[in-house]
Amino acid sequence: MNANVPKPGQAVYVYEFPVRIWHWTIAACIFCLFITGHFIGSPPQSLTGDPTRIFYFGYLVRAHYAAGLILCLAMCCRILWAFFGNAVSRQIFILAIWKKSWRQGLLDDIRWYLFLKKTPDVHMGHNPLAQVGMALCVLAIIFMCLTGLGIYQAKGSASFFHLFGFMEALIYSLGGNGIDLLVCHRLGMVALAAFVMVHVYMVIREGIMGRTTMISAMVNGYRLVRGPHDLSVRQYVKDANTGDIS
């Protein structure tokens, strides 16, 4: 019997606490940034009253800046944790494209999500398709952080943020201006919104039709195998603590 394949109902610790905190933190930040960013780009109707007491738009801007800075800090912490965490914590940064089994797994996952395959493979960590998606998400978040900080420093912020003036200089060197930097930032928001919709769909679909638990795994860190024990499935991670990736 293949010891790398957990039995149905066996709990395997996959997502460490810092990874789970990062996941839900960026989810909350991105949601806040979507809402506030939309109204900053398309301001609500002007309100009547004492301007010294009405500060609704200012609160929107403050919330946007706060969520953006938290997102940047969370992303930096997540990158650092990839050096100290388990094998799964590095899967979204290092795609094993040099492995034939990984490339075949990617094709199988695509076929599974396109309803061209009847049964999914069991992955205790991220499946290859999810690794690609999360890697693109990380790049999109980094892009949003850099463009956002480039916009923020142009408003005369603290001297530390002037380090990100290179983003504004880069746009000007490409023949653009400050407005183009804003446009790039909003295009990044559209890309992230598309990713969130696809991500939610895939998680819900996998949670219903897949052979492992999904949402609960990102809550308590443990993933369970459901269904009959199948020794033919590819198993990438048995126990993330040992870093045993096959």
Side-chain angles (χ1 to χ4, degrees):
M1 180 176 291
N2 188 348
N4 286 336
V5 181
K7 297 179 180 179
Q10 178 181 347
V12 179
Y13 188 66
V14 177
Y15 298 115
E16 297 171 304
F17 182 71
V19 174
R20 304 198 307 273
I21 287 294
W22 169 79
H23 176 273
W24 296 113
T25 299
I26 67 166
C29 288
I30 289 175
F31 178 78
C32 177
L33 290 166
F34 281 167
I35 301 299
T36 55
H38 168 73
F39 285 110
I40 291 173
S42 302
Q45 183 178 0
S46 298
L47 301 174
T48 58
D50 186 353
T52 62
R53 296 180 180 274
I54 297 177
F55 197 63
Y56 296 126
F57 192 78
Y59 292 139
L60 282 176
V61 174
R62 282 184 178 180
H64 191 81
Y65 288 165
L69 293 175
I70 293 173
L71 180 66
C72 294
L73 180 60
M75 198 65 244
C76 290
C77 292
R78 180 65 179 86
I79 293 173
L80 289 176
W81 186 254
F83 293 95
F84 302 100
N86 59 28
V88 174
S89 68
R90 294 183 285 275
Q91 285 185 332
I92 64 175
F93 299 102
I94 303 176
L95 306 181
I97 57 177
W98 61 88
K99 292 184 178 181
K100 182 179 179 180
S101 59
W102 188 92
R103 297 193 299 270
Q104 184 61 47
L106 177 62
L107 295 176
D108 288 344
D109 289 334
I110 293 175
R111 291 176 59 235
W112 161 246
Y113 283 106
L114 291 177
F115 298 94
L116 299 176
K117 185 179 178 182
K118 293 183 179 180
T119 57
D121 294 333
V122 173
H123 304 276
M124 300 311 293
H126 296 289
N127 64 51
L129 184 58
Q131 291 178 42
V132 173
M134 288 302 299
L136 293 175
C137 176
V138 167
L139 291 177
I141 291 176
I142 293 175
F143 174 80
M144 291 296 288
C145 289
L146 290 177
T147 53
L149 289 170
I151 296 169
Y152 187 65
Q153 64 82 32
K155 300 181 182 297
S157 305
S159 58
F160 168 78
F161 294 102
H162 294 169
L163 295 173
F164 301 95
F166 72 90
M167 291 300 299
E168 192 174 23
L170 177 62
I171 289 294
Y172 277 99
S173 68
L174 295 175
N177 52 44
I179 298 299
D180 292 319
L181 187 59
L182 284 168
V183 171
C184 290
H185 194 65
R186 290 185 68 85
L187 286 176
M189 180 189 72
V190 174
L192 270 180
F195 168 81
V196 168
M197 290 187 290
V198 174
H199 178 66
V200 171
Y201 159 73
M202 294 177 72
V203 167
I204 294 176
R205 181 184 185 274
E206 193 68 15
I208 296 173
M209 303 177 62
R211 296 190 55 200
T212 58
T213 55
M214 295 295 293
I215 298 177
S216 63
M218 194 52 71
V219 175
N220 57 28
Y222 288 90
R223 176 157 287 172
L224 298 176
V225 178
R226 297 194 298 251
H229 191 50
D230 184 358
L231 297 181
S232 66
V233 296
R234 276 186 304 277
Q235 183 62 49
Y236 287 88
V237 179
K238 179 205 173 191
D239 188 348
N241 291 325
T242 64
D244 180 17
I245 299 180
S246 56

